[in-house]
């Protein structure tokens, strides 16, 4: 055996070496492109050109590139829908539809005219060629995602327009291909096509959320959840292909449906983005580069002319569409650049159209789209992807600078969350609630704290506490959020938590609801009672009966005069933030004056969030809200400490009412920030029992109702 006899031929066909070389490209292309200040996506495409058969012929574009390429393409569309701000998408859906029609119509008009005028093609060929200009692929979306701009309004509008223009372009492709297959493309053809698409979309929208909600509630294993999501993506894509449309539309629709079940900041979302950006999407981009023949530039003649016309018309028509939309809706210049950058790149639908058109043989024996168009298309793909990447990168950087400037001009209080972990069953829910409640781009670390009572300390309790903290750290790390763990010994657990809050400048405390051990225990437990007496920061006592991402609505009971508390604006924003992350509505119940203040805060600071404000005439009786709170809702009761402005004597009855009417619901008791430290003063009366103020309050309310009744009768 000759140790130095290696059988090494190009292109490489061994699957092991193919995968190794692809991994090397994915690893080093961003590093090299970063040093050259070139967008990473261009690096992936250029690497595909170099190693492909039109470059150095190092790799063969085998079935693995087709498989992973299709997965990557579906992944781009799925992530685009998954990362959308659904509230903003609903708010701007008309604008997205209008942009979709504009970015379809302008390239169609210019494309048909230029193909017939400059290239002397027939009407049918010109229409198909124009539909290729009209469609576009969100190749540069990973740039937007990397800069954290996926929830910007202009991104939502562009993504919505993408779905519209791709659907219309594919419809044109279906009609033209049907003509040459001998199909009747009269009125019945359109009725059938539209009927199949509408029925399929209806089935996906109706059944997929119910399946997802059931699965996420029943199975919390992260691997199973990730596989389930992938299965739903390809189910949507496969079903869309069955009805004669491109699978990318099904993947996009699956992303829209699953959007509310996968919060933007969550372990599952982090895993989905990681796998897509690390493997599937780069594989797709390298595969796109491998079909590009740069020798077309050197051939000159007709091929060069076709490539130049196609590239110029495709780029100019997309820029013109973005310009029209900007003028129509008064967008900024940087928003127009972002819209153009996202919508200029050609790949998926363009490739589908040119390959199908190239296979169609007309009656005269010529191909509908000849070799010149095929070569011109791959050149157009390269040029549009380069322009799109550069424009998107520039626009993203400009938007980040503007965002930072706006933040500097608006002074906002930092939020630092501390989660008290003691019960291993509630840790996941508490961490997930903190993740969806905190500011999405907050750089503040979260803290997980476990306090061991010095009087009852033991080695076993220490082991359990450390295990709980490790579990909390793993959950936060899987969401790519920094979590500091603290193990503390104290003679009093509530004092240990309070001291940790003061030492770390904590602004928000989240604790789980105390489990009653005996009949003498209070509803909240001694720890929560003592924390409320000795701490003026916001405290949330939480009881969850299901995973956070499966909650369908947030119902909030707000007492009168809550707007006068110092923490009013903060908790309104935080609850709206939770609703935004979960893609659900938040329904406030308050008196007329408080409701107006809530609406003003929401409109001013959370304008995109879908909220409802209803009248809660009598705070004393929460029984009327039982019909509003379902099993899969989160019931939030905004309370306050004794002696505060919004304190109500009826707060003493809340534990009884919750136990009686809302024991089968997930709920949160929220105690907002208050000015100064609470007065830890002994009272002669038991604070857990009604005192004289309760009596005075009841008498006052009785007289109020009596006079109100007399006024109505009068």
């Amino acid at each position: 055996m000759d140790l130095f006899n290696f059988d090494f031929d190009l292109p490489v066909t061994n699957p092991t070496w193919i995968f190794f070389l692809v991994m090397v490209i994915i690893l080093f292309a961003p590093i090299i492109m970063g040093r050259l200040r070139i967008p990473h996506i261009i690096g992936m495409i250029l690497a595909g050109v170099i190693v492909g058969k039109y470059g150095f012929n190092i790799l063969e574009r085998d079935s693995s590139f087709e498989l992973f390429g299709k997965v990557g393409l579906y992944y781009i569309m799925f992530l685009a829908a998954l990362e959308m701000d659904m509230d903003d998408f609903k708010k701007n859906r008309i604008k997205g539809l209008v942009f979709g029609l504009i970015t379809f119509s302008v390239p169609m008009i210019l494309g048909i005219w230029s193909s017939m005028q400059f290239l002397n093609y027939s009407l049918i060929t010109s229409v198909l060629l124009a539909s290729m200009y009209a469609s576009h692929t969100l190749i540069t979306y990973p740039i937007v995602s990397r800069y954290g701009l996926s929830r910007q309004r202009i991104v939502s509008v562009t993504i919505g327009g993408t779905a519209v223009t791709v659907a219309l372009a594919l419809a044109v492709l279906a009609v033209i291909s049907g003509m040459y297959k001998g199909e009747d493309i009269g009125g019945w053809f359109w009725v059938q096509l539209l009927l199949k698409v509408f029925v399929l979309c209806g089935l996906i929208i109706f059944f997929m959320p119910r399946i997802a909600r059931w699965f996420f509630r029943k199975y919390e294993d992260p691997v199973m959840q990730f596989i389930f999501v992938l299965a739903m993506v390809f189910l949507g894509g496969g079903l869309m292909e069955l009805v004669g449309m491109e699978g990318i539309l099904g993947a996009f629709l699956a992303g829209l449906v699953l959007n509310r079940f996968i919060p933007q900041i969550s372990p599952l979302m982090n895993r989905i983005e990681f796998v897509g950006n690390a493997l599937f999407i780069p594989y797709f981009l390298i595969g796109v580069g491998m079909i590009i023949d740069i020798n077309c530039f050197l051939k000159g003649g007709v091929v060069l002319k076709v490539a130049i016309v196609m590239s110029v018309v495709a780029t100019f028509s997309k820029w013109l569409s973005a310009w029209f939309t900007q003028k129509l809706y008064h967008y900024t210049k940087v928003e127009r650049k972002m819209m153009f950058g996202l919508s200029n790149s050609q790949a998926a639908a363009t490739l589908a159209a040119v390959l199908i058109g190239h296979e169609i043989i007309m009656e005269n024996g010529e191909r509908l789209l000849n070799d010149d168009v095929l070569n011109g298309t791959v050149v157009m793909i390269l040029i549009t992807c380069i322009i799109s990447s550069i424009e998107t990168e520039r626009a993203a950087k400009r938007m980040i600078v503007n965002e930072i400037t706006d933040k500097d001009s608006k002074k906002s209080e930092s939020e630092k969350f501390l989660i008290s972990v003691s019960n291993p069953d509630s840790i996941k829910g508490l961490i997930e609630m903190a993740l969806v409640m905190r500011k999405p781009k907050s750089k503040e670390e979260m803290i997980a704290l476990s306090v061991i009572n010095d009087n009852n300390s033991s080695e076993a309790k220490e082991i359990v506490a450390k295990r709980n903290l490790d579990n909390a750290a793993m959950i936060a790390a899987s969401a790519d959020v920094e979590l500091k763990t603290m193990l503390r010994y104290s003679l009093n657990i509530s004092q240990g938590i309070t001291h940790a809050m003061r030492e770390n400048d904590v602004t928000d405390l989240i604790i789980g609801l105390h489990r009653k051990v005996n009949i003498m225990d209070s509803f909240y437990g001694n720890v929560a009672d003592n924390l409320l007496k000795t701490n003026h920061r916001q405290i949330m006592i939480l009881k969850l009966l299901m995973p956070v991402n499966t909650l369908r609505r947030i119902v909030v009971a707000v007492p009168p005069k809550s707007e006068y508390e110092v923490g009013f604006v903060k908790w309104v924003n935080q609850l709206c933030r939770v609703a935004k992350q979960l893609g659900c509505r938040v329904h406030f119940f308050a008196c007329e004056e408080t409701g107006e203040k809530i609406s003003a805060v929401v409109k001013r600071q959370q304008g995109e969030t879908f909220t409802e404000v209803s009248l809660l005439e009598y705070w004393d009786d929460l029984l009327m809200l039982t019909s509003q709170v379902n099993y899969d809702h989160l019931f939030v009761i905004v309370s306050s400490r004794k002696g505060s402005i919004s304190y109500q004597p009826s707060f003493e009855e809340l534990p009884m009412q919750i136990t009686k009417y809302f024991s089968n619901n997930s709920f949160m008791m929220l105690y907002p920030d208050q000015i100064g430290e609470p007065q830890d003063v002994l009272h002669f009366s038991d604070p857990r029992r009604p005192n004289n103020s309760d009596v005075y309050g009841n008498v006052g309310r009785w007289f109020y109702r009596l006079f109100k009744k007399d006024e109505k009768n009068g």
Side-chain angles (χ1 to χ4, degrees):
M1 180 179 180
D2 189 356
L3 294 176
F4 299 97
N5 184 19
F6 295 102
D7 186 12
F8 191 80
D9 297 320
L10 294 178
V12 176
T13 57
N14 186 296
T16 304
W17 287 107
I18 289 177
F19 198 79
F20 167 74
L21 291 173
V22 170
M23 291 299 102
V24 169
I25 293 171
I26 295 174
L27 176 63
F28 287 105
I31 297 175
I32 297 173
M33 293 299 108
R35 291 183 177 275
L36 298 176
R37 299 186 180 276
I38 298 175
H40 300 168
I41 288 175
I42 297 178
M44 295 294 177
I45 296 175
L46 291 178
V49 173
I50 293 171
V51 301
K53 66 178 181 179
Y54 300 113
F56 292 101
N57 197 25
I58 298 173
L59 292 178
E60 182 181 354
R61 196 173 189 275
D62 60 3
S63 58
S64 69
F65 285 96
E66 295 181 11
L67 173 63
F68 281 97
K70 197 157 194 174
V71 175
L73 179 57
Y74 282 17
Y75 229 88
I76 289 175
M77 295 300 293
F78 174 66
L79 277 178
L82 197 63
E83 294 184 345
M84 285 177 64
D85 186 336
M86 292 306 295
D87 290 337
D88 194 48
F89 177 69
K90 292 173 184 175
K91 182 181 177 182
N92 295 298
R93 60 184 179 274
I94 301 301
K95 295 178 181 178
L97 176 62
V98 171
F99 171 65
L101 294 175
I102 292 175
T103 199
F104 174 78
S105 303
V106 172
M108 286 294 294
I109 295 171
L110 291 179
I112 294 173
W113 172 78
S114 62
S115 298
M116 298 180 70
Q117 183 74 23
F118 298 114
L119 302 178
N120 298 321
Y121 288 151
S122 65
L123 178 61
I124 299 298
T125 301
S126 299
V127 169
L128 184 56
L129 202 55
S131 72
M132 293 163 52
Y133 305 151
S135 68
H136 59 258
T137 305
L138 296 171
I139 288 285
T140 59
Y141 181 79
I143 296 175
V144 175
S145 181
R146 188 173 75 247
Y147 281 100
L149 299 172
S150 56
R151 301 177 82 83
Q152 292 284 335
R153 65 170 184 175
I154 198 65
V155 176
S156 298
V157 170
T158 307
I159 292 173
T162 299
V164 173
T165 190
V166 169
L168 293 175
L170 293 176
V172 172
L173 177 61
V175 171
I176 293 178
S177 62
M179 290 173 56
Y180 289 94
K181 289 179 182 177
E183 296 182 6
D184 181 12
I185 59 170
W188 180 240
F189 172 84
W190 288 102
V191 171
Q192 278 187 316
L193 181 63
L194 292 175
L195 185 63
K196 287 189 291 186
V197 172
F198 281 132
V199 170
L200 175 60
C201 291
L203 290 174
I204 291 176
I205 293 172
F206 181 80
F207 284 108
M208 196 173 285
R210 287 160 174 79
I211 296 171
R213 189 175 292 111
W214 170 82
F215 187 89
F216 286 134
R217 285 178 184 168
K218 192 171 182 64
Y219 301 101
E220 296 188 11
D221 181 74
V223 176
M224 293 182 66
Q225 288 186 349
F226 177 77
I227 294 173
F228 169 79
V229 170
L230 277 187
M232 292 298 101
V233 173
F234 283 91
L235 175 63
L239 291 175
M240 195 61 73
E241 288 182 343
L242 282 179
V243 300
M245 298 297 285
E246 197 65 28
I248 55 177
L249 293 176
F252 180 79
L253 184 59
L256 291 179
V257 170
L258 295 176
N259 182 288
R260 67 172 309 275
F261 298 101
I262 307 174
Q264 186 73 13
I265 303 175
S266 65
L268 181 57
M269 186 68 180
N270 192 50
R271 294 185 187 100
I272 292 171
E273 288 183 332
F274 174 78
V275 174
N277 293 326
L279 183 61
F280 294 143
I281 294 176
Y283 231 112
F284 165 69
L285 296 174
I286 294 170
V288 169
M290 293 176 73
I291 66 171
I292 296 175
D293 184 5
I294 56 175
N295 295 322
C296 294
F297 284 113
L298 306 177
K299 293 179 180 178
V302 178
V303 178
L304 184 59
K305 179 182 178 182
V306 171
I308 292 174
V309 170
M310 291 180 68
S311 301
V312 171
V313 173
T315 301
F316 178 69
S317 63
K318 288 299 181 180
W319 181 90
L320 196 60
S321 301
W323 183 82
F324 278 142
T325 308
Q326 177 206 3
K327 296 303 179 183
L328 181 62
Y329 292 115
H330 307 290
Y331 289 141
T332 63
K333 185 178 179 180
V334 70
E335 286 180 316
R336 185 199 70 211
K337 288 179 175 290
M338 175 62 76
M339 182 178 284
F340 168 63
L342 283 171
S343 62
N344 184 51
S345 52
Q346 306 284 335
T350 305
L351 284 173
V354 73
L355 292 176
I356 291 174
H358 190 261
E359 294 297 323
I360 294 175
I361 307 296
M362 297 185 292
E363 294 178 356
N364 59 7
E366 296 181 358
R367 296 182 183 274
L368 182 61
L369 297 181
N370 57 31
D371 292 340
D372 295 336
V373 175
L374 180 63
N375 292 326
T377 300
V378 293
V379 173
M380 179 186 69
I381 290 174
L382 176 61
I383 292 175
T384 56
C385 286
I386 291 175
I387 295 174
S388 182
S389 299
I390 294 173
E391 283 296 296
T392 306
E393 187 94 19
R394 287 177 177 175
K397 289 179 179 178
R398 185 71 256 174
M399 292 179 79
I400 287 292
V401 171
N402 293 343
E403 197 173 78
I404 293 173
T405 305
D406 291 341
K407 281 185 177 179
D408 290 340
S409 61
K410 298 178 183 177
K411 292 183 180 179
S412 58
E413 182 188 357
S414 62
E415 295 177 358
K416 197 169 188 178
F417 285 82
L418 186 144
I419 303 98
S420 177
V421 295
S422 57
N423 180 8
D425 296 331
S426 64
I427 292 175
K428 190 172 187 291
L430 297 178
I431 297 291
E432 289 181 347
M433 180 58 70
L435 289 174
V436 297
M437 184 173 285
R438 73 200 293 261
K439 294 176 182 177
K441 298 178 183 179
S442 174
K443 300 299 181 183
E444 293 282 356
E445 64 180 2
M446 296 197 309
I447 301 173
L449 172 68
S450 183
V451 181
I452 299 177
N453 193 319
D454 255 346
N455 293 329
N456 301 318
S457 62
S458 66
E459 187 176 347
K461 287 189 176 181
E462 184 177 335
I463 293 173
V464 172
K466 288 181 178 179
R467 187 185 303 128
N468 290 340
L469 292 173
D470 289 342
N471 188 18
M474 288 176 60
I475 296 171
S478 61
D480 199 22
V481 173
E482 185 179 356
L483 181 76
K484 177 182 177 182
T485 58
M486 293 180 61
L487 180 62
R488 195 181 191 106
Y489 293 88
S490 178
L491 291 173
N492 184 291
I493 293 179
S494 59
Q495 286 184 2
I497 296 174
T498 300
H499 292 159
M501 291 179 66
R502 291 173 180 170
E503 291 167 6
N504 294 276
D505 294 325
V506 170
T507 61
D508 299 83
L509 171 65
I510 299 181
I511 61 175
L513 182 66
H514 165 73
R515 291 186 298 180
K516 294 184 69 171
V517 179
N518 54 61
I519 196 171
M520 297 299 293
D521 276 355
S522 68
F523 180 76
Y524 301 124
N526 292 329
V527 173
D529 287 340
N530 292 332
L531 284 170
L532 291 172
K533 292 176 186 177
T534 59
N535 203 297
H536 72 287
R537 284 299 193 177
Q538 181 167 288
I539 296 177
M540 291 159 281
I541 304 172
L542 188 64
K543 172 192 171 186
L544 287 172
L545 300 180
M546 64 186 64
V548 172
N549 63 322
T550 61
L551 296 169
R552 293 181 58 228
R553 184 177 286 249
I554 301 173
V555 180
V556 189
V558 187
K561 300 183 180 179
S562 292
E563 65 271 24
Y564 299 114
E565 299 286 1
V566 69
F568 173 72
V569 174
K570 184 172 85 169
W571 67 255
V572 171
N573 281 330
Q574 286 178 340
L575 292 180
C576 289
R577 207 177 291 148
V578 173
K580 206 170 184 179
Q581 288 283 344
L582 300 181
C584 64
R585 287 182 177 269
V586 54
H587 195 163
F588 296 96
F589 287 87
C591 67
E592 186 174 354
E593 185 179 353
T594 305
E596 291 175 357
K597 296 294 184 182
I598 291 173
S599 299
V601 172
V602 172
K603 186 176 181 180
R604 185 172 66 252
Q605 301 193 21
Q606 300 287 341
E608 310 87 5
T609 304
F610 280 74
T611 59
E612 298 176 56
V613 180
S614 298
L615 184 64
L616 181 63
E617 199 165 347
Y618 302 115
W619 170 260
D620 297 353
D621 191 8
L622 293 179
L623 179 61
M624 63 166 292
L625 294 182
T626 54
S627 61
Q628 301 290 333
V629 183
N630 295 335
Y631 173 74
D632 51 2
H633 293 176
L634 175 65
F635 184 39
V636 180
I637 301 176
V638 180
S639 186
S640 64
R641 299 162 179 85
K642 215 179 240 304
S644 63
I645 300 173
S646 61
Y647 180 77
Q648 301 277 329
S650 56
F651 286 169
E652 306 294 343
E653 301 172 8
L654 284 177
M656 181 273 294
Q657 291 181 336
I658 293 172
T659 303
K660 187 174 182 180
Y661 302 129
F662 303 101
S663 59
N664 294 323
N665 299 104
S666 300
F667 72 85
M668 174 194 292
M669 290 295 301
L670 191 150
Y671 291 84
D673 288 335
Q674 291 177 296
I675 298 175
E677 296 288 346
Q679 298 298 317
D680 190 11
V681 181
L682 286 174
H683 294 277
F684 289 106
S685 59
D686 185 351
R688 294 185 181 83
R689 296 173 59 185
N691 53 24
N692 291 337
S693 64
D694 298 18
V695 179
Y696 301 149
N698 290 331
V699 172
R701 283 191 298 276
W702 182 82
F703 274 110
Y704 172 76
R705 294 176 186 174
L706 178 64
F707 285 121
K708 192 174 182 181
K709 187 184 295 183
D710 290 341
E711 287 176 4
K712 289 182 179 178
N713 294 334

